[in-house]
Amino acid sequence: MTQIQTAVDDPRSLAALVLSEETSRQEDEAARDTSVPLIPHLLEDPAHAEPEPPLSEVLAIGGKRIITVLFGVALLDSVDTASFGVLAPDIRNSLGASTATISIIAAIAGVTVSLAALPLGTLGDRKRRATIAGVSVAVWAAASVLTGLVNAVWQLALLRGVAGIGKANEGPIQGSMLADAYPPAGRGRIFGIHRSALPLGILVGPLLAGAAASIAGGNNGWRFAFVLLAIPGVPLAIATLRLPEPVRGRFEMEALEVGEIEPDAHALPVGLGAACARLKQGRTSYSIRTALGAFGVGGGTVPTYLTQLLGD
């Protein structure tokens, strides 16, 4: 009170007090935005860190079921992308489309994956993630079956967009489930197993699609291929829906010694602003986003152009 009275009597003291209070307020506000504490083991010297547990122990903690089912989902997504690329010449000839049109349609799925990732991630912060992933797989399977029945280019473009929405759960939903199901010391290997489905799908997809199209024969053999590839999506969707929901942040809270964590349906999710503020603290996030953006420009269309070139 004496300080305030002195400030009122002296304009210079009053200005200094106001500035001091404003600085404190801004510091408190910034602290609230980045108040998520760093996990202690991340601050340890790697040379003195505890040895990593064997993969069998990591799988015993989180269970083999989640990684197995989500590996299958990722594999199916990759097979679909690779199949569309190898069947592009037949699709183009069947629908009477141009090379550029088919290539643009091939890129639509990638665009919708990016656009749908944030809404799905936001929904995943509030709802059961296994349900979201299972519904997404079912949506993809339905779009794949309908792709085999299209009669116009616009129908194909629409269904590839829907298929992209079905695939958009891979990062925000499947990734967060794996992170919460398995301990930090084993996450690198778990994500390695999960992501290995992508190159495997690139290898297997053209073989399966080409074989199915060849069996059906003719320029419309690609239709049979998409219907056939959708069949595994049905049991995978059911298996995904039945996956247990991992407790959010379980291992991080245990590392912080917060105690036993019980799921709270009414807990407020971390705000997007606070999450971005934390990500900005490291250069890795910026580098990854830049690299993926540059890679996506070529990776989304080059394979389709290449198969059409070879087809000609």
Side-chain angles (χ1 to χ4, degrees):
M1 189 70 181
T2 304
Q3 184 181 8
I4 297 176
Q5 183 62 44
T6 303
V8 171
D9 296 338
D10 185 358
R12 289 177 298 180
S13 299
L14 178 60
L17 179 61
V18 171
L19 291 175
S20 176
E21 291 297 326
E22 176 62 17
T23 300
S24 298
R25 185 191 67 79
Q26 292 179 358
E27 290 176 350
D28 291 342
E29 200 170 84
R32 283 195 298 272
D33 289 340
T34 58
S35 58
V36 181
L38 291 172
I39 307 305
H41 71 78
L42 297 179
L43 303 178
E44 295 176 354
D45 183 356
H48 298 89
E50 295 182 2
E52 293 183 350
L55 181 60
S56 58
E57 183 178 330
V58 174
L59 292 174
I61 294 174
K64 297 179 181 179
R65 183 178 169 190
I66 293 180
I67 183 59
T68 301
V69 173
L70 295 186
F71 175 88
V73 173
L75 177 62
L76 196 60
D77 288 348
S78 183
V79 166
D80 172 76
T81 301
S83 298
F84 189 90
V86 77
L87 296 173
D90 291 342
I91 298 173
R92 179 192 61 182
N93 297 335
S94 176
L95 298 179
S98 66
T99 297
T101 298
I102 294 299
S103 299
I104 291 173
I105 292 175
I108 286 177
V111 173
T112 52
V113 165
S114 300
L115 294 178
L118 182 57
L120 281 179
T122 302
L123 186 64
D125 287 339
R126 294 162 170 77
K127 303 296 182 180
R128 188 174 181 271
R129 291 165 293 181
T131 301
I132 298 172
V135 171
S136 297
V137 176
V139 168
W140 171 85
S144 183
V145 171
L146 293 175
T147 296
L149 305 176
V150 300
N151 294 311
V153 171
W154 70 266
Q155 295 172 348
L156 180 64
L158 176 63
L159 288 171
R160 291 311 293 173
V162 173
I165 295 175
K167 295 179 180 183
N169 76 97
E170 180 186 336
I173 303 299
Q174 296 181 42
S176 64
M177 288 181 66
L178 292 172
D180 286 336
Y182 298 96
R187 283 180 191 162
R189 285 166 288 172
I190 291 297
F191 276 103
I193 294 173
H194 183 250
R195 300 300 291 181
S196 67
L198 303 186
L200 182 59
I202 294 174
L203 175 65
V204 174
L207 298 176
L208 294 177
S214 298
I215 292 173
N219 282 339
N220 287 315
W222 63 272
R223 298 178 183 276
F224 175 71
F226 275 103
V227 174
L228 184 65
L229 292 174
I231 293 176
V234 177
L236 268 177
I238 296 174
T240 306
L241 286 170
R242 299 179 65 180
L243 286 177
E245 179 71 6
V247 178
R248 301 176 191 273
R250 164 192 167 189
F251 297 102
E252 284 73 14
M253 294 302 175
E254 289 178 356
L256 289 170
E257 298 180 352
V258 174
E260 186 68 23
I261 305 299
E262 294 292 336
D264 185 1
H266 304 288
L268 294 176
V270 176
L272 181 61
C276 290
R278 176 47 55 95
L279 288 174
K280 288 179 181 178
Q281 294 183 10
R283 291 180 297 177
T284 304
S285 173
Y286 174 79
S287 300
I288 290 176
R289 285 183 283 115
T290 303
L292 290 178
F295 177 77
V297 172
T301 55
V302 168
T304 307
Y305 269 113
L306 179 60
T307 55
Q308 293 180 87
L309 175 65
L310 295 175
D312 292 337

